[in-house]
Amino acid sequence: MSRQVETESGFSTDELFEYENSKRVIDHPETPSAYIEWREILPILSKKTTEHVGNLLGWSYTNSKRPLGSSREIFANNFEGADQEVLDEWMYDLSQTSIKDFIDFHLPFMRNFSDHSEKWKPSKLVGLYLEFYNNPSKGKIVNRFPEKLIVETTKSCNFSCVMCSSRTDGFQKKFTMDLEVFGEIIRVFSPHSETIRINGYGEASIIPNIGDYIGCLDEFSFEGQKEIITNLSAPYGVYEHLANENFVLLVSWDAVDENLFEEIRVGADYDKMLKSLNKLGNELSDESERLILLSTVQEKNIDQIVPLVDLASDVGAGKLIFNIVKEEGDSKWMKNRFQEIKSEFTKANERAENLEVDLKIPDHIGEQYLDIEGITQSAKARCDRPFKEIQIRWNTELSVCNMFNPYYLGILFRPNVPKDEQNMKKRFERLWNGPNYRLFRSIVNTERKHPYCEDCYYM
């Protein structure tokens, strides 16, 4: 069994890394990391981690045959700016660290390092991580399972929204979680979770057999709240089924103007989707709280804020939640048009009160606090999600929250390892309170929070 190591950008090596190379790692997971060669772990890493390691190795097969214990310059490249004393500590630690721990904990930290290092001195960050790794009681230990589970069933999407990076031109099986894996996740988590939400960087409702996925929740007797975020583009029967299965449907809707809507949500058919939205409103007329509109405010649609309140009322949606688009760099339009946005939100709040629509407005626009009536405290002020929530991506990588923070916690099912040889429940418990998550929890509400957490709009 073999696979070609390939990056998502299309670059690939000429070498094939054999699954058999990983036999020692799988059969003897307590072997000290220093004695293991890179090529022995490559076949059982997730694609993104393989790409990260491949870049560190310069995609050199010769480098892949080096033991970790003689790869000081490779680690120095990852921890750019760290001093020699900390690198000495890291290299010494490899002789004490099992290869199982290196894969589950050290490699995720190596991936996360570049995001953090802008706000922390590299040496301090590496040293702090090693403190968390070597002291399992350091940091906050939380319940064995989260209250809220978010599952990304697919990364594929049939839209190309201007504010989203997901571009797959429709359903892609290769970017979709296997039904067997989804069922195992529901089996393990359903006794512990109060809420299970289906959403991610893709559109779950376009999975051809989405009904089979939904059926897993009944099969494993999940009794909590069921939620799905959707662009409402699939045949109406899909949503009718979800409504009959007592799902809360959170529908993404960014404009009332048809042309603007289709400009923002490239690939959308406004008329078709509006008909589905109206049907859902009628279907759930006695339970309007189960139909929610989600709107992402961006420079294009500021003038749609108030009309969206009217739309929510017209279609029978019980709640309207406004998010603000997350942009890289300095969003000058948020600063320049702050007063205009504030005015629109003020009018929207008054309108919602008159129409009895439950309106959620974040408490800030970019870096500026929004001091109006009706705002909701966001995670910018204080975040509790890392203590209560987990997101499992389509390939079973774990991330920390519903807002798609890139902070990586590890993977539940190791690629190429037979699933019946893996215990997902034990792996989750191991990662959920592992050093990476304890480190993240310790800084999430401090000035040294992860850069992605800055100006978060989660309410």
Side-chain angles (χ1 to χ4, degrees):
M1 180 179 182
S2 63
R3 70 176 178 131
Q4 193 169 18
V5 178
E6 185 174 344
T7 69
E8 290 188 345
S9 60
F11 172 82
S12 63
T13 67
D14 293 325
E15 302 294 342
L16 292 174
F17 292 94
E18 301 289 339
Y19 170 67
E20 288 300 315
N21 288 345
S22 298
K23 186 171 178 55
R24 177 165 63 144
V25 173
I26 295 169
D27 292 345
H28 303 286
E30 300 304 325
T31 303
S33 301
Y35 304 113
I36 299 294
E37 297 176 6
W38 291 100
R39 68 189 181 98
E40 293 183 81
I41 64 174
L42 279 166
I44 56 174
L45 302 180
S46 69
K47 189 172 183 178
K48 282 191 175 181
T49 305
T50 300
E51 183 174 354
H52 183 85
V53 172
N55 288 334
L56 288 175
L57 299 177
W59 296 99
S60 163
Y61 187 66
T62 300
N63 282 342
S64 76
K65 295 169 69 176
R66 294 175 59 177
L68 274 61
S70 62
S71 299
R72 184 186 180 93
E73 68 272 26
I74 291 171
F75 290 113
N77 184 36
N78 190 100
F79 302 128
E80 185 178 0
D83 60 35
Q84 296 303 312
E85 183 178 346
V86 168
L87 286 173
D88 287 344
E89 185 181 357
W90 178 270
M91 297 307 296
Y92 173 77
D93 198 72
L94 294 179
S95 65
Q96 314 292 314
T97 301
S98 68
I99 191 59
K100 176 175 69 173
D101 281 6
F102 181 85
I103 292 172
D104 286 350
F105 302 139
H106 282 32
L107 274 178
F109 173 71
M110 289 170 65
R111 270 181 55 177
N112 295 329
F113 174 82
S114 59
D115 289 333
H116 273 305
S117 59
E118 294 179 4
K119 299 186 71 172
W120 294 68
K121 291 182 179 179
S123 295
K124 182 173 180 60
L125 184 57
V126 177
L128 184 62
Y129 165 75
L130 289 175
E131 286 181 28
F132 276 92
Y133 171 69
N134 289 311
N135 185 357
S137 64
K138 182 178 177 65
K140 178 73 172 177
I141 305 296
V142 297
N143 292 336
R144 290 172 60 232
F145 280 86
E147 296 175 8
K148 186 168 190 175
L149 171 67
I150 301 162
V151 187
E152 180 185 66
T153 49
T154 185
K155 195 181 82 166
S156 54
C157 189
N158 54 340
F159 286 1
S160 298
C161 300
V162 295
M163 63 286 191
C164 180
S165 61
S166 183
R167 303 279 192 280
T168 64
D169 193 29
F171 175 71
Q172 299 285 335
K173 183 174 174 55
K174 65 181 178 180
F175 294 137
T176 302
M177 182 181 289
D178 289 343
L179 177 61
E180 174 192 1
V181 172
F182 180 82
E184 179 65 3
I185 289 171
I186 300 303
R187 184 189 71 81
V188 169
F189 282 84
S190 60
H192 311 283
S193 300
E194 297 176 6
T195 302
I196 294 179
R197 174 184 286 182
I198 297 173
N199 79 279
Y201 273 126
E203 174 55 40
S205 71
I206 66 172
I207 298 174
N209 60 330
I210 184 63
D212 294 334
Y213 287 76
I214 302 307
C216 291
L217 295 164
D218 286 334
E219 181 180 352
F220 296 109
S221 304
F222 176 65
E223 297 180 352
Q225 178 158 299
K226 297 178 282 189
E227 302 175 349
I228 186 168
I229 294 181
T230 176
N231 64 20
L232 211 63
S233 63
Y236 178 72
V238 173
Y239 307 110
E240 186 176 37
H241 177 60
L242 288 164
N244 291 335
E245 289 294 318
N246 294 314
F247 269 77
V248 174
L249 291 103
L250 297 100
V251 180
S252 299
W253 208 277
D254 300 317
V256 171
D257 180 273
E258 177 180 349
N259 292 329
L260 179 57
F261 185 96
E262 294 181 355
E263 180 185 338
I264 293 173
R265 296 193 163 266
V266 180
D269 183 334
Y270 183 86
D271 286 340
K272 174 189 171 185
M273 292 164 58
L274 184 59
K275 287 178 182 177
S276 292
L277 186 62
N278 276 303
K279 285 183 180 179
L280 273 177
N282 289 329
E283 180 85 14
L284 299 172
S285 59
D286 294 331
E287 300 175 275
S288 62
E289 69 278 2
R290 286 177 50 207
L291 180 59
I292 300 171
L293 297 188
L294 298 177
S295 181
T296 301
V297 176
Q298 48 211 287
E299 191 169 20
K300 291 175 179 288
N301 67 349
I302 294 173
D303 64 351
Q304 300 291 294
I305 290 174
V306 177
L308 280 164
V309 177
D310 292 330
L311 177 70
S313 176
D314 291 343
V315 301
K319 182 181 293 186
L320 170 60
I321 301 174
F322 282 109
N323 193 3
I324 311 294
V325 67
K326 194 169 182 66
E327 298 177 335
E328 293 185 6
D330 188 19
S331 298
K332 291 184 178 180
W333 67 269
M334 290 188 190
K335 296 179 180 178
N336 295 338
R337 303 183 68 177
F338 176 78
Q339 291 301 328
E340 180 184 351
I341 300 169
K342 178 179 177 180
S343 174
E344 292 301 306
F345 274 142
T346 300
K347 289 185 285 187
N349 187 55
E350 294 172 355
R351 188 79 173 144
E353 287 185 4
N354 292 333
L355 296 175
E356 297 184 347
V357 173
D358 184 7
L359 187 63
K360 297 295 182 184
I361 301 171
D363 57 6
H364 64 100
I365 305 294
E367 297 177 351
Q368 301 180 79
Y369 180 70
L370 190 62
D371 56 340
I372 63 173
E373 187 178 348
I375 58 172
T376 303
Q377 180 176 302
S378 69
K380 175 183 172 70
R382 190 180 189 287
C383 182
D384 65 355
R385 294 301 86 194
F387 305 90
K388 299 180 177 181
E389 178 177 295
I390 196 73
Q391 184 189 44
I392 304 177
R393 299 209 62 201
W394 66 276
N395 58 359
T396 77
E397 285 195 350
L398 300 179
S399 58
V400 297
C401 71
N402 178 63
M403 301 301 282
F404 309 113
N405 190 307
Y407 193 88
Y408 173 55
L409 298 169
I411 193 165
L412 290 184
F413 281 121
R414 291 175 294 176
N416 295 325
V417 179
K419 292 183 176 59
D420 59 4
E421 295 180 14
Q422 305 188 60
N423 187 317
M424 191 188 74
K425 182 174 183 289
K426 287 184 177 180
R427 280 189 62 74
F428 175 78
E429 290 177 330
R430 171 177 168 79
L431 299 174
W432 175 240
N433 276 311
N436 280 291
Y437 217 165
R438 284 184 284 117
L439 171 59
F440 186 91
R441 291 180 184 121
S442 74
I443 62 174
V444 68
N445 291 312
T446 72
E447 293 181 356
R448 290 174 168 175
K449 67 180 67 173
H450 190 283
Y452 192 88
C453 296
E454 297 286 353
D455 299 326
C456 181
Y457 295 102
Y458 188 92
M459 294 177 282

